[in-house]
Amino acid sequence: MKLEKLFIKIGIGSLLFTIMTGVVLADTDADSTQLEVDVQDAITLVCDGGDGTTETVDLGTLTAGTPVTGSTTCEVTTNAQAGYVLEVEQDGASGSTTMDNDTNDSWDIADKTSWDQTSNAGDGNAAAYTGTGLGFGVLSSTATKNTTWWGGAAACTDAAQLYAGFPSNGAANNNIMEHTSYSLTSTNTIICYQLDVPATQRSGVYHGTVTYTATSSL
Amino acid sequence: MINMKKITIIIIGLLILPVIALAATDGVYNITVDNIGFSGGESITDSVYDLFDTIGEPLVGIANSEDYKTQDGFWYIANNTISLGLDSNTKDLGTVVAGTPNTAMTSVTVITDAPGGYDLLISKDHELTHSIDGSTTIPDYTGSIATPTTWSGIGLGFTITSGTDVDVKWGTTPNNNYAGIPNLDTVFHEKSGYTSGDDITVIEYKIDVSGTQRSGEYTNNITYAAISKL
């Protein structure tokens, strides 16, 4: 900051008047620094409103020839600036299939063709439910549902809902939902299950475990 | 005859009346300068304009030898200099996890020969802004320079952790009080009197974010300015 002032100077014993300008009274200096910070991403996944532990979906009593359906809702909360992906796989405890009999784990319920997002040039390999076997499909999402992968159905029983089998434990290419943008609020994805069995399926209680995983994208 | 005597007395009084203006110093001793003249050295103001004037200084100018330099006369003493430097032109606040604040520090070094010290100002070009989307920002801390507060909540704030003549409103470590950084240059620290050599003020930044703050890198620029005082 510079101040320019006028001052009048009168010499002693003289009547000479001198006017001078351009005197600096105050000085200033400045410098800058750039601040940088990284905000850590975090993600939480809760399926069916539980506390993160295993949730049970009861498909009820199945009569061969009459499919049953059920669903799971998975809620994801994340600040990830590029969104997240949702994956699913069976836990592998039942061997090559998802569900086996409680009495004898060699008595299995067949799975539909295992889901592979890269099949058919990235269109996936889910299909309309026919015949028998356990299948799953994404019904809806407040994040991003891929209708090419899963169809445009409004209910799990709709013919337009596409189904695939659960990928084996550790399988790759098992994304079932890909959300590529930041969401301020939580997002919910509903996954349908549909199951029918042949008349030769041994009776009894069958169980199986699948695991959903949400991974933030940076 | 009587009138002529009165005039003479007045003139003599003006000639011998010293006007105390500013100090001269060699860095060790301060000498209050008698501005021997008719008048001057003090500000005349009408609240809009300030006039600094001197009348009748017989000896003015700069004299120097190999080791010494003198500045003689009111105006040569008043013509002071100031320099400001930062310890770094970048500060990394690290990776912040929502709910766990991070901190970083800047050292501001000021050197001035101004007898009245200096004012230190701070400003920012904008809020911390997301480097990718260019629009998401981290808000300012809600405390102000006028009233810094004990840290609570989220945002980017700052405090003074050490320096000369630090106002008690900033608190003392670990109980510092914080303020948001303004957009316009604002005085946040006043250093009074002369100091020989470096005068260092240490500023601490503090930041926390909400759980919904978009992840990624954020940046902005903080500017410090120092203004000398008579």
Side-chain angles (χ1 to χ4, degrees):
Chain A
M1 180 187 303
K2 299 185 185 295
L3 303 174
E4 293 192 352
K5 304 293 184 185
L6 290 175
F7 70 92
I8 300 173
K9 186 174 182 179
I10 304 176
I12 296 178
S14 169
L15 295 177
L16 176 66
F17 289 83
T18 303
I19 301 174
M20 298 183 66
T21 65
V23 177
V24 175
L25 285 181
D27 197 11
T28 185
D29 195 16
D31 202 358
S32 297
T33 187
Q34 182 182 62
L35 295 188
E36 176 184 311
V37 67
D38 266 295
V39 175
Q40 178 70 56
D41 64 293
I43 192 166
T44 61
L45 170 67
V46 177
C47 290
D48 275 346
D51 61 359
T53 59
T54 303
E55 297 294 333
T56 300
V57 176
D58 187 353
L59 294 172
T61 301
L62 172 61
T63 301
T66 305
V68 293
T69 61
S71 68
T72 290
T73 299
C74 288
E75 179 183 73
V76 173
T77 305
T78 182
N79 67 332
Q81 70 101 11
Y84 68 95
V85 297
L86 190 62
E87 309 168 7
V88 70
E89 63 181 24
Q90 54 170 280
D91 70 346
S94 303
S96 61
T97 63
T98 303
M99 303 180 75
D100 60 15
N101 190 281
D102 289 359
T103 302
N104 188 323
D105 60 11
S106 67
W107 305 340
D108 302 326
I109 289 178
D111 289 311
K112 287 294 188 183
T113 302
S114 179
W115 165 251
D116 183 347
Q117 70 189 84
T118 63
S119 293
N120 300 312
D123 289 346
N125 59 349
Y129 191 92
T130 60
T132 59
L134 175 65
F136 81 97
V138 174
L139 173 67
S140 66
S141 179
T142 59
T144 306
K145 174 187 174 181
N146 189 322
T147 55
T148 300
W149 287 358
W150 307 111
C156 295
T157 54
D158 285 355
Q161 179 62 48
L162 305 183
Y163 288 89
F166 287 106
S168 60
N169 181 253
N173 306 318
N174 56 341
N175 291 352
I176 64 172
M177 200 283 294
E178 296 176 337
H179 185 51
T180 59
S181 61
Y182 165 77
S183 292
L184 177 64
T185 58
S186 300
T187 55
N188 293 297
T189 301
I190 299 175
I191 299 98
C192 293
Y193 311 111
Q194 186 156 188
L195 171 64
D196 196 4
V197 294
T200 55
Q201 187 72 46
R202 291 175 190 266
S203 66
V205 179
Y206 292 76
H207 278 96
T209 300
V210 296
T211 301
Y212 292 95
T213 303
T215 305
S216 59
S217 301
L218 301 179
Chain B
M1 287 294 289
I2 294 175
N3 286 341
M4 287 180 64
K5 287 182 180 178
K6 286 182 178 179
I7 292 173
T8 301
I9 291 172
I10 290 171
I11 291 175
I12 292 174
L14 288 173
L15 283 173
I16 65 174
L17 180 68
V19 175
I20 307 301
L22 297 171
T25 179
D26 68 350
V28 176
Y29 299 100
N30 285 345
I31 301 175
T32 303
V33 176
D34 288 345
N35 176 19
I36 302 175
F38 285 103
S39 182
E42 296 287 333
S43 166
I44 303 172
T45 181
D46 68 349
S47 77
V48 176
Y49 297 98
D50 275 332
L51 173 64
F52 283 88
D53 66 299
T54 56
I55 304 174
E57 290 186 282
L59 298 174
V60 295
I62 298 175
N64 56 353
S65 65
E66 181 178 351
D67 298 318
Y68 296 94
K69 176 181 178 180
T70 65
Q71 299 179 166
D72 303 310
F74 178 91
W75 298 109
Y76 288 95
I77 296 172
N79 194 6
N80 56 81
T81 61
I82 193 166
S83 70
L84 178 148
L86 304 178
D87 60 333
S88 175
N89 290 118
T90 60
K91 283 295 171 182
D92 188 353
L93 287 159
T95 300
V96 63
V97 176
T100 305
N102 280 16
T103 61
M105 290 186 175
T106 283
S107 289
V108 182
T109 301
V110 174
I111 303 173
T112 181
D113 56 4
Y118 64 92
D119 287 338
L120 199 53
L121 298 83
I122 191 172
S123 66
K124 67 178 188 298
D125 55 353
H126 49 69
E127 291 180 333
L128 283 166
T129 301
H130 201 279
S131 298
I132 294 179
D133 74 6
S135 59
T136 305
T137 60
I138 296 175
D140 296 327
Y141 181 68
T142 54
S144 66
I145 289 175
T147 311
T149 62
T150 302
W151 185 269
S152 175
I154 63 169
L156 172 67
F158 81 101
T159 187
I160 304 176
T161 59
S162 69
T164 311
D165 298 338
V166 178
D167 195 304
V168 296
K169 68 181 179 182
W170 295 107
T172 55
T173 305
N175 301 310
N176 295 102
N177 296 321
Y178 295 83
I181 301 173
N183 294 334
L184 300 177
D185 289 336
T186 305
V187 175
F188 71 98
H189 176 55
E190 298 177 35
K191 155 69 173 63
S192 62
Y194 171 81
T195 296
S196 172
D198 298 350
D199 187 73
I200 300 174
T201 305
V202 180
I203 288 84
E204 177 187 276
Y205 311 105
K206 194 164 189 174
I207 186 168
D208 196 3
V209 296
S210 71
T212 59
Q213 186 72 51
R214 183 171 184 151
S215 69
E217 180 187 87
Y218 295 74
T219 62
N220 69 354
N221 290 289
I222 310 300
T223 298
Y224 295 92
I227 302 176
S228 62
K229 300 192 292 188
L230 296 179

